[in-house]
Amino acid sequence: LQDKMQFITRFHYWAADSVTYGPSTEWGEHEVDYVLFLQLPPGIETSGSLLQPNPEEVGDYKWVTIDELQAMLKSGNNKNLLWSPWFVGILERGGFEWWKDLSGALSGKYTNDQITFFDPPPEHVADYNLPSHNRWTGVWKWNPGKNEPGSASSKTKDETMSTSS
């Protein structure tokens, strides 16, 4: 099925895991997430062992429609549902639109080389996150040939997001 996946875009975000571990948590994320779409061919069984997520990363999963997922997200009072901030952020920034136009998404209609940044929702900000923290906090640019590992100048703060290697 890997050859049927369609790359859509990338998102850069950060979040503290303060919902799970409290406002002083040491745990969090600062990453670039790739969005890939795939439509299962007819006849593929969606129960059983099709997906085998890492139990340390995924608590549970369920096959749902767009309407079902939107209703689940809106039921924010349901303490049994805990959503990753990157998942909600991606859905709010195009995910639902791409899903509704699945044939367009799979044909590359929404594919781009941009990296869209977003801050976490307030519940994913820890005590140590300062108002000055932003997309550049903790992001360093590697300059091959110039900044070799171990040199005094091996890390420099970068104010631009490069989309090429």
Side-chain angles (χ1 to χ4, degrees), residues 63-105:
W63 297 95
V64 295
T65 65
I66 293 172
D67 293 337
E68 288 171 323
L69 182 56
Q70 288 174 325
M72 291 167 74
L73 287 168
K74 287 180 184 172
S75 66
N77 296 335
N78 185 342
K79 300 298 180 196
N80 295 325
L81 299 175
L82 180 60
W83 302 100
S84 173
W86 64 261
F87 182 68
V88 175
I90 289 170
L91 290 173
E92 291 173 345
R93 290 162 179 81
F96 282 122
E97 175 187 351
W98 306 324
W99 189 2
K100 287 177 183 174
D101 183 17
L102 186 58
S103 62

Side-chain angles (χ1 to χ4, degrees), residues 140-151 153-156 158:
W140 299 93
K141 181 178 179 184
W142 170 248
N143 293 315
K146 279 184 144 179
N147 301 349
E148 295 302 321
S151 73
S153 63
S154 65
K155 294 182 179 178
T156 58
D158 184 18

Side-chain angles (χ1 to χ4, degrees), residues 2 24 29 47 55 75-76 123 139 153 155:
Q2 287 180 341
S24 298
E29 300 175 318
S47 63
S75 66
E123 66 271 16
V139 177
S153 63
K155 294 182 179 178

